[in-house]
Amino acid sequence: GAVVSQHPSWVICKSGTSVKIECRSLDFQATTMFWYRQFPKQSLMLMATSNEGSKATYEQGVEKDKFLINHASLTLSTLTVTSAHPEDSSFYICSASLPGGYGYTFGSGTRLTVV
Amino acid sequence: LAKTTQPISMDSYEGQEVNITCSHNNIATNDYITWYQQFPSQGPRFIIQGYKTKVTNEVASLFIPADRKSSTLSLPRVSLSDTAVYYCLVELKGGATNKLIFGTGTLLAVQP
């Protein structure tokens, strides 16, 4: 089946540094990918939609300059959390739309802890 | 995008059948109903999808009445490993470039 690989699975960084999270579609081409953030005991919150070769579309309230999204190829989208602060600590999950528009598959998530 | 409403939590015991109901009053004609399962610190996993009546696969059944304003996920003979959060979503078929919005989900706790 269609698999999305997300890396790293967890990361700890110092406040003020930047962290990059990768999301790769392993056996299919993902024209559209999505990035979510999930705080403890809460649901997934959509941050942005990224389309290959174009700028990402951010949800209201999500700072595009802080959460940089790049979708330069049909198999890779990256999320960079710039100048991370403790309040950015969260579980970040990527998702990709399946070919033909028939459903979505999700990465395994990245636990970001900013200290 | 149709909003979904489901119970925040449910409790069950091993071996029981669990039914989780979701309401989606504003579902559109071209929308499908999909259920996902999420374990702690993992991404959501597809369980089942349907449009109307009944759909069954190796892990669950999905019941959708004629008006499609609600749906029920049925998990037969649950085990401890079925403890997870279950999300009901409405998706536009063939429109997976559309964003997928998650509701609160239902935390199912299965006890011995």
Side-chain angles (χ1 to χ4, degrees), chain A residues 14-84:
Chain A
K14 291 184 177 181
S15 186
T17 62
S18 296
V19 173
K20 179 183 286 187
I21 302 170
E22 294 187 348
C23 183
R24 294 182 183 273
S25 58
L26 297 185
D27 49 3
F28 68 100
Q29 293 183 331
T31 305
T32 304
M33 288 187 173
F34 307 87
W35 287 94
Y36 294 84
R37 180 168 54 181
Q38 186 175 33
F39 292 109
K41 299 187 184 300
Q42 294 187 23
S43 183
L44 285 77
M45 184 189 77
L46 181 66
M47 300 175 66
T49 302
S50 78
N51 291 293
E52 184 267 338
S54 62
K55 291 184 178 181
T57 301
Y58 291 81
E59 294 299 302
Q60 188 174 6
V62 178
E63 302 175 56
K64 62 179 182 180
D65 294 329
K66 180 171 184 61
F67 299 99
L68 302 179
I69 292 173
N70 184 282
H71 193 164
S73 78
L74 286 172
T75 59
L76 175 65
S77 177
T78 61
L79 167 67
T80 301
V81 182
T82 63
S83 186

Coordinates of all heavy atoms in Angstrom, one line a residue, chain A residues 14-84:
Chain A
K14 N 17.2 23.1 21.0 CA 17.3 24.2 21.9 C 16.4 25.4 21.4 O 16.2 25.5 20.2 CB 18.7 24.7 22.1 CG 19.6 23.7 22.8 CD 21.0 24.3 23.0 CE 21.9 23.3 23.9 NZ 23.2 23.9 24.1
S15 N 15.9 26.1 22.3 CA 15.1 27.3 21.9 C 15.9 28.2 21.1 O 17.1 28.5 21.3 CB 14.6 28.0 23.2 OG 13.7 29.0 22.9
G16 N 15.3 28.7 20.0 CA 15.9 29.6 19.1 C 16.5 28.9 17.8 O 16.9 29.6 16.9
T17 N 16.6 27.6 17.9 CA 17.2 26.9 16.7 C 16.0 26.5 15.8 O 14.9 26.6 16.1 CB 18.0 25.7 17.1 OG1 17.1 24.8 17.8 CG2 19.1 26.1 18.1
S18 N 16.4 26.0 14.6 CA 15.5 25.5 13.6 C 15.5 24.0 13.4 O 16.6 23.4 13.6 CB 15.7 26.2 12.3 OG 15.5 27.6 12.4
V19 N 14.4 23.5 13.2 CA 14.3 22.0 13.0 C 13.6 21.7 11.7 O 12.5 22.3 11.4 CB 13.5 21.4 14.2 CG1 13.3 19.9 13.9 CG2 14.3 21.6 15.5
K20 N 14.1 20.7 10.9 CA 13.4 20.3 9.7 C 12.9 18.9 9.8 O 13.5 18.0 10.3 CB 14.4 20.4 8.5 CG 13.8 19.9 7.2 CD 14.8 19.9 6.1 CE 15.2 21.3 5.6 NZ 16.1 21.2 4.4
I21 N 11.7 18.8 9.4 CA 11.0 17.5 9.4 C 10.7 17.1 8.0 O 10.2 17.9 7.2 CB 9.7 17.5 10.2 CG1 9.9 18.0 11.6 CG2 9.0 16.2 10.2 CD1 8.7 18.3 12.4
E22 N 11.0 15.9 7.6 CA 10.8 15.4 6.2 C 9.6 14.4 6.1 O 9.4 13.6 7.0 CB 12.1 14.7 5.7 CG 13.3 15.6 5.5 CD 14.4 14.9 4.8 OE1 14.4 13.7 4.7 OE2 15.4 15.6 4.4
C23 N 9.0 14.5 5.0 CA 7.9 13.6 4.7 C 8.0 13.1 3.3 O 8.0 13.9 2.4 CB 6.5 14.3 4.9 SG 5.1 13.3 4.6
R24 N 8.2 11.8 3.2 CA 8.5 11.2 1.8 C 7.4 10.2 1.5 O 7.0 9.3 2.3 CB 9.8 10.5 1.8 CG 11.0 11.4 1.9 CD 12.3 10.6 1.9 NE 13.5 11.5 2.1 CZ 14.0 12.2 1.1 NH1 13.6 12.0 -0.2 NH2 15.1 12.9 1.3
S25 N 6.9 10.3 0.3 CA 6.0 9.2 -0.2 C 6.9 8.2 -0.9 O 7.7 8.5 -1.8 CB 5.0 9.8 -1.2 OG 5.7 10.4 -2.3
L26 N 6.8 6.9 -0.4 CA 7.8 5.9 -0.8 C 7.5 5.2 -2.1 O 8.4 4.8 -2.8 CB 8.0 4.9 0.3 CG 8.5 5.4 1.7 CD1 8.7 4.2 2.6 CD2 9.8 6.2 1.5
D27 N 6.2 5.0 -2.4 CA 5.9 4.2 -3.6 C 4.8 4.8 -4.4 O 4.2 4.2 -5.2 CB 5.4 2.8 -3.1 CG 4.4 2.8 -2.0 OD1 4.0 4.0 -1.6 OD2 4.0 1.8 -1.5
F28 N 4.7 6.1 -4.3 CA 3.8 6.8 -5.1 C 4.2 8.3 -5.2 O 5.0 8.8 -4.4 CB 2.3 6.7 -4.6 CG 2.1 7.4 -3.3 CD1 1.4 8.6 -3.3 CD2 2.4 6.8 -2.1 CE1 1.2 9.2 -2.1 CE2 2.2 7.4 -0.9 CZ 1.6 8.7 -0.9
Q29 N 3.6 9.0 -6.1 CA 3.9 10.4 -6.2 C 2.8 11.2 -5.5 O 1.6 11.0 -5.8 CB 4.0 10.8 -7.7 CG 5.2 10.2 -8.4 CD 5.4 10.7 -9.8 OE1 4.4 11.0 -10.5 NE2 6.6 10.7 -10.3
A30 N 3.2 12.1 -4.7 CA 2.2 12.9 -3.9 C 2.2 14.3 -4.4 O 3.0 15.1 -4.0 CB 2.6 12.8 -2.4
T31 N 1.1 14.6 -5.1 CA 1.0 16.0 -5.6 C 0.7 16.9 -4.5 O 1.2 18.1 -4.4 CB -0.1 16.1 -6.7 OG1 0.1 15.1 -7.7 CG2 -0.2 17.4 -7.2
T32 N -0.1 16.5 -3.5 CA -0.5 17.3 -2.4 C -0.2 16.6 -1.1 O -0.5 15.4 -0.9 CB -2.0 17.6 -2.5 OG1 -2.4 18.1 -3.7 CG2 -2.5 18.5 -1.4
M33 N 0.4 17.4 -0.2 CA 0.7 16.9 1.1 C 0.2 17.9 2.1 O 0.0 19.1 1.8 CB 2.2 16.7 1.3 CG 2.8 15.5 0.6 SD 4.5 15.2 1.0 CE 4.8 13.7 0.2
F34 N -0.1 17.4 3.3 CA -0.7 18.2 4.4 C 0.2 18.1 5.6 O 0.8 17.0 5.9 CB -2.1 17.7 4.7 CG -3.0 17.7 3.5 CD1 -3.0 16.5 2.7 CD2 -3.8 18.7 3.1 CE1 -3.9 16.4 1.6 CE2 -4.6 18.7 2.0 CZ -4.7 17.5 1.3
W35 N 0.2 19.1 6.4 CA 0.9 19.1 7.7 C 0.0 19.4 8.8 O -0.8 20.4 8.7 CB 2.1 20.1 7.7 CG 3.2 19.7 6.8 CD1 3.5 20.0 5.5 CD2 4.3 18.8 7.2 NE1 4.6 19.3 5.1 CE2 5.1 18.6 6.1 CE3 4.6 18.1 8.4 CZ2 6.3 17.8 6.1 CZ3 5.7 17.3 8.4 CH2 6.6 17.2 7.3
Y36 N 0.0 18.6 9.8 CA -0.8 18.8 11.0 C 0.0 18.9 12.2 O 1.2 18.4 12.3 CB -1.7 17.5 11.2 CG -2.8 17.3 10.1 CD1 -2.4 16.6 8.9 CD2 -4.1 17.7 10.3 CE1 -3.4 16.4 7.9 CE2 -5.0 17.5 9.3 CZ -4.7 16.9 8.1 OH -5.6 16.7 7.2
R37 N -0.6 19.5 13.3 CA 0.1 19.6 14.6 C -1.0 19.0 15.6 O -2.2 19.3 15.5 CB 0.4 21.0 14.9 CG 1.1 21.3 16.2 CD 1.6 22.7 16.3 NE 0.7 23.7 16.0 CZ 1.0 25.0 16.0 NH1 2.2 25.4 16.3 NH2 0.0 25.9 15.7
Q38 N -0.4 18.3 16.5 CA -1.3 17.7 17.5 C -0.7 17.9 18.9 O 0.3 17.4 19.2 CB -1.6 16.2 17.2 CG -2.6 15.6 18.1 CD -2.9 14.1 17.7 OE1 -2.0 13.4 17.3 NE2 -4.1 13.7 17.9
F39 N -1.5 18.6 19.8 CA -1.1 18.8 21.1 C -1.6 17.6 22.0 O -2.6 17.0 21.6 CB -1.5 20.1 21.7 CG -0.8 21.3 21.0 CD1 -1.4 22.1 20.1 CD2 0.5 21.5 21.3 CE1 -0.8 23.2 19.5 CE2 1.2 22.6 20.7 CZ 0.6 23.4 19.8
P40 N -1.1 17.4 23.1 CA -1.5 16.2 24.0 C -3.0 16.3 24.2 O -3.6 17.3 24.5 CB -0.7 16.4 25.3 CG 0.5 17.1 24.8 CD 0.1 18.1 23.8
K41 N -3.6 15.1 24.0 CA -5.1 14.9 24.3 C -6.0 15.8 23.4 O -7.1 16.0 23.7 CB -5.4 15.2 25.8 CG -4.7 14.2 26.7 CD -5.2 14.4 28.1 CE -4.4 13.5 29.1 NZ -4.4 12.1 28.7
Q42 N -5.4 16.3 22.3 CA -6.2 17.0 21.4 C -6.2 16.4 20.0 O -5.4 15.5 19.7 CB -5.7 18.5 21.2 CG -5.8 19.3 22.5 CD -5.4 20.7 22.3 OE1 -5.4 21.3 21.2 NE2 -5.1 21.4 23.4
S43 N -7.1 16.9 19.1 CA -7.2 16.3 17.8 C -6.1 16.9 16.9 O -5.3 17.8 17.3 CB -8.6 16.7 17.2 OG -8.7 16.1 16.0
L44 N -6.0 16.4 15.7 CA -5.1 16.9 14.7 C -5.6 18.3 14.2 O -6.8 18.4 13.9 CB -4.9 16.0 13.5 CG -4.1 14.7 13.7 CD1 -4.9 13.7 14.5 CD2 -3.7 14.2 12.4
M45 N -4.7 19.2 14.1 CA -5.0 20.5 13.6 C -4.2 20.8 12.3 O -3.0 20.7 12.3 CB -4.7 21.6 14.6 CG -5.1 23.0 14.2 SD -4.5 24.3 15.2 CE -2.8 24.4 14.7
L46 N -5.0 21.0 11.2 CA -4.3 21.2 10.0 C -3.5 22.6 10.0 O -4.1 23.6 10.4 CB -5.3 21.3 8.8 CG -4.8 21.5 7.4 CD1 -3.9 20.3 7.0 CD2 -5.9 21.7 6.4
M47 N -2.3 22.5 9.6 CA -1.4 23.7 9.6 C -1.4 24.3 8.2 O -1.5 25.5 8.0 CB 0.0 23.4 10.0 CG 0.1 22.9 11.4 SD 1.8 22.4 11.8 CE 2.6 24.0 11.8
A48 N -1.2 23.4 7.2 CA -1.0 23.9 5.8 C -1.1 22.8 4.8 O -1.0 21.6 5.2 CB 0.4 24.5 5.7
T49 N -1.4 23.2 3.6 CA -1.5 22.3 2.5 C -0.4 22.6 1.5 O -0.2 23.8 1.2 CB -2.8 22.4 1.8 OG1 -3.9 22.2 2.7 CG2 -3.0 21.5 0.6
S50 N 0.4 21.6 1.1 CA 1.5 22.0 0.2 C 1.3 21.2 -1.1 O 1.0 20.0 -1.1 CB 2.8 21.6 0.8 OG 3.1 20.2 0.7
N51 N 1.4 21.9 -2.2 CA 1.3 21.3 -3.5 C 2.7 21.4 -4.2 O 3.4 22.4 -4.1 CB 0.3 22.1 -4.4 CG -1.1 21.9 -3.9 OD1 -1.6 20.7 -4.0 ND2 -1.7 22.9 -3.4
E52 N 3.1 20.3 -4.9 CA 4.4 20.2 -5.5 C 4.6 21.4 -6.4 O 3.8 21.7 -7.3 CB 4.5 18.9 -6.2 CG 5.9 18.7 -6.8 CD 6.0 19.1 -8.2 OE1 4.9 19.2 -8.9 OE2 7.1 19.4 -8.7
G53 N 5.7 22.1 -6.2 CA 6.1 23.2 -7.1 C 5.4 24.5 -6.9 O 5.7 25.4 -7.7
S54 N 4.6 24.6 -5.9 CA 4.0 25.9 -5.6 C 4.0 26.2 -4.1 O 4.4 25.3 -3.3 CB 2.5 25.9 -6.1 OG 1.8 24.9 -5.4
K55 N 3.7 27.4 -3.8 CA 3.7 27.8 -2.4 C 2.6 27.1 -1.6 O 1.5 26.8 -2.1 CB 3.5 29.3 -2.3 CG 4.7 30.1 -2.8 CD 4.5 31.6 -2.6 CE 5.7 32.4 -3.0 NZ 5.5 33.9 -2.8
A56 N 2.9 26.9 -0.3 CA 2.0 26.2 0.6 C 0.8 27.2 0.9 O 1.0 28.4 0.9 CB 2.7 25.7 1.8
T57 N -0.3 26.6 1.2 CA -1.4 27.3 1.7 C -1.6 27.1 3.2 O -1.8 26.0 3.6 CB -2.7 26.9 1.0 OG1 -2.6 27.1 -0.5 CG2 -3.9 27.7 1.4
Y58 N -1.5 28.1 3.9 CA -1.5 28.0 5.4 C -2.9 28.3 6.0 O -3.7 29.1 5.4 CB -0.5 29.0 6.0 CG 0.9 28.6 5.8 CD1 1.5 29.0 4.6 CD2 1.7 28.0 6.7 CE1 2.9 28.6 4.3 CE2 3.0 27.6 6.5 CZ 3.6 28.0 5.3 OH 4.9 27.6 5.0
E59 N -3.2 27.6 7.0 CA -4.5 27.8 7.7 C -4.4 29.1 8.5 O -3.3 29.5 8.9 CB -4.8 26.6 8.6 CG -5.1 25.3 7.8 CD -6.3 25.4 6.9 OE1 -7.4 25.7 7.4 OE2 -6.1 25.2 5.7
Q60 N -5.6 29.6 8.8 CA -5.6 30.8 9.6 C -5.0 30.7 10.9 O -5.2 29.7 11.6 CB -7.1 31.3 9.7 CG -7.3 32.6 10.3 CD -8.7 33.1 10.3 OE1 -9.6 32.3 10.0 NE2 -9.0 34.3 10.7
G61 N -4.1 31.6 11.3 CA -3.4 31.6 12.5 C -2.1 30.9 12.5 O -1.4 30.9 13.5
V62 N -1.7 30.3 11.4 CA -0.4 29.6 11.3 C 0.5 30.5 10.6 O 0.3 31.0 9.5 CB -0.6 28.3 10.5 CG1 0.8 27.6 10.4 CG2 -1.6 27.3 11.2
E63 N 1.7 30.8 11.3 CA 2.6 31.7 10.8 C 3.5 31.1 9.7 O 4.3 30.2 9.9 CB 3.5 32.2 11.9 CG 2.8 32.9 13.0 CD 3.8 33.2 14.2 OE1 4.8 33.9 13.9 OE2 3.6 32.8 15.3
K64 N 3.3 31.6 8.5 CA 4.1 31.0 7.4 C 5.6 31.2 7.4 O 6.4 30.4 6.9 CB 3.5 31.5 6.0 CG 3.7 33.0 5.8 CD 3.2 33.4 4.5 CE 3.4 34.9 4.2 NZ 2.8 35.3 2.9
D65 N 6.0 32.3 8.1 CA 7.4 32.6 8.2 C 8.1 31.7 9.3 O 9.3 31.6 9.4 CB 7.6 34.1 8.5 CG 7.2 34.9 7.3 OD1 7.3 34.4 6.2 OD2 6.8 36.1 7.6
K66 N 7.2 31.2 10.2 CA 7.8 30.4 11.2 C 7.8 28.9 10.9 O 8.7 28.2 11.2 CB 6.9 30.6 12.5 CG 7.4 29.7 13.7 CD 6.7 30.1 15.0 CE 7.3 29.3 16.1 NZ 8.8 29.6 16.3
F67 N 6.8 28.5 10.1 CA 6.6 27.1 9.7 C 6.8 27.1 8.2 O 5.9 27.2 7.4 CB 5.3 26.5 10.1 CG 5.1 26.5 11.6 CD1 4.3 27.5 12.2 CD2 5.6 25.5 12.4 CE1 4.1 27.5 13.6 CE2 5.4 25.5 13.7 CZ 4.7 26.5 14.4
L68 N 8.1 26.9 7.8 CA 8.4 26.9 6.3 C 8.1 25.6 5.7 O 8.6 24.5 6.2 CB 9.9 27.3 6.1 CG 10.3 28.7 6.7 CD1 11.7 28.9 6.5 CD2 9.4 29.8 6.1
I69 N 7.4 25.5 4.7 CA 7.0 24.3 4.0 C 7.6 24.3 2.6 O 7.3 25.3 1.8 CB 5.5 24.1 4.0 CG1 5.0 23.8 5.4 CG2 5.1 22.9 3.1 CD1 3.6 23.7 5.6
N70 N 8.3 23.3 2.2 CA 8.8 23.1 0.9 C 8.4 21.8 0.3 O 8.5 20.8 0.9 CB 10.3 23.2 0.9 CG 11.0 23.2 -0.5 OD1 11.1 22.1 -1.1 ND2 11.4 24.3 -0.9
H71 N 7.9 21.9 -0.9 CA 7.4 20.6 -1.6 C 8.0 20.6 -3.0 O 7.3 20.8 -4.0 CB 5.8 20.7 -1.6 CG 5.2 19.4 -2.0 ND1 3.9 19.1 -1.8 CD2 5.7 18.3 -2.6 CE1 3.6 17.9 -2.2 NE2 4.7 17.4 -2.7
A72 N 9.3 20.5 -3.0 CA 10.0 20.6 -4.3 C 9.9 19.5 -5.2 O 10.2 19.6 -6.4 CB 11.5 20.9 -4.0
S73 N 9.6 18.3 -4.7 CA 9.4 17.1 -5.6 C 8.1 16.4 -5.3 O 7.5 16.7 -4.3 CB 10.6 16.2 -5.4 OG 10.5 15.4 -4.3
L74 N 7.8 15.5 -6.2 CA 6.5 14.8 -6.0 C 6.6 13.7 -4.9 O 5.6 13.0 -4.6 CB 6.1 14.1 -7.3 CG 5.6 15.0 -8.4 CD1 5.4 14.3 -9.7 CD2 4.3 15.6 -7.9
T75 N 7.8 13.6 -4.3 CA 7.9 12.5 -3.2 C 8.4 13.1 -1.9 O 8.6 12.4 -1.0 CB 8.9 11.4 -3.7 OG1 10.1 12.0 -4.0 CG2 8.3 10.7 -4.9
L76 N 8.6 14.4 -1.8 CA 9.2 15.0 -0.6 C 8.6 16.3 -0.3 O 8.6 17.2 -1.1 CB 10.7 15.1 -0.8 CG 11.4 15.8 0.4 CD1 11.3 15.0 1.7 CD2 12.9 16.0 0.0
S77 N 8.1 16.4 0.9 CA 7.7 17.7 1.5 C 8.4 17.9 2.8 O 8.6 16.9 3.6 CB 6.2 17.8 1.7 OG 5.8 19.0 2.3
T78 N 8.9 19.1 3.1 CA 9.6 19.4 4.4 C 8.9 20.5 5.1 O 8.4 21.4 4.5 CB 11.1 19.7 4.2 OG1 11.1 20.9 3.4 CG2 11.8 18.6 3.5
L79 N 8.9 20.4 6.4 CA 8.4 21.4 7.3 C 9.6 21.8 8.2 O 10.2 21.0 8.9 CB 7.3 20.9 8.2 CG 6.9 21.7 9.4 CD1 6.2 23.0 8.9 CD2 5.9 21.0 10.3
T80 N 9.9 23.1 8.2 CA 11.0 23.6 9.0 C 10.4 24.6 10.0 O 9.7 25.6 9.7 CB 12.0 24.4 8.2 OG1 12.6 23.5 7.2 CG2 13.1 24.9 9.1
V81 N 10.6 24.2 11.3 CA 10.1 25.1 12.4 C 11.3 26.0 12.7 O 12.4 25.6 13.2 CB 9.8 24.3 13.6 CG1 9.3 25.2 14.7 CG2 8.7 23.2 13.3
T82 N 11.2 27.3 12.4 CA 12.3 28.2 12.5 C 12.2 28.9 13.9 O 11.1 29.1 14.4 CB 12.2 29.3 11.4 OG1 11.0 30.1 11.6 CG2 12.3 28.7 10.1
S83 N 13.4 29.2 14.5 CA 13.4 29.8 15.8 C 12.4 29.2 16.7 O 11.5 29.9 17.3 CB 13.2 31.3 15.6 OG 13.4 32.0 16.8
A84 N 12.6 27.9 16.9 CA 11.7 27.2 17.8 C 11.6 27.7 19.2 O 12.7 28.0 19.8 CB 12.0 25.7 17.7

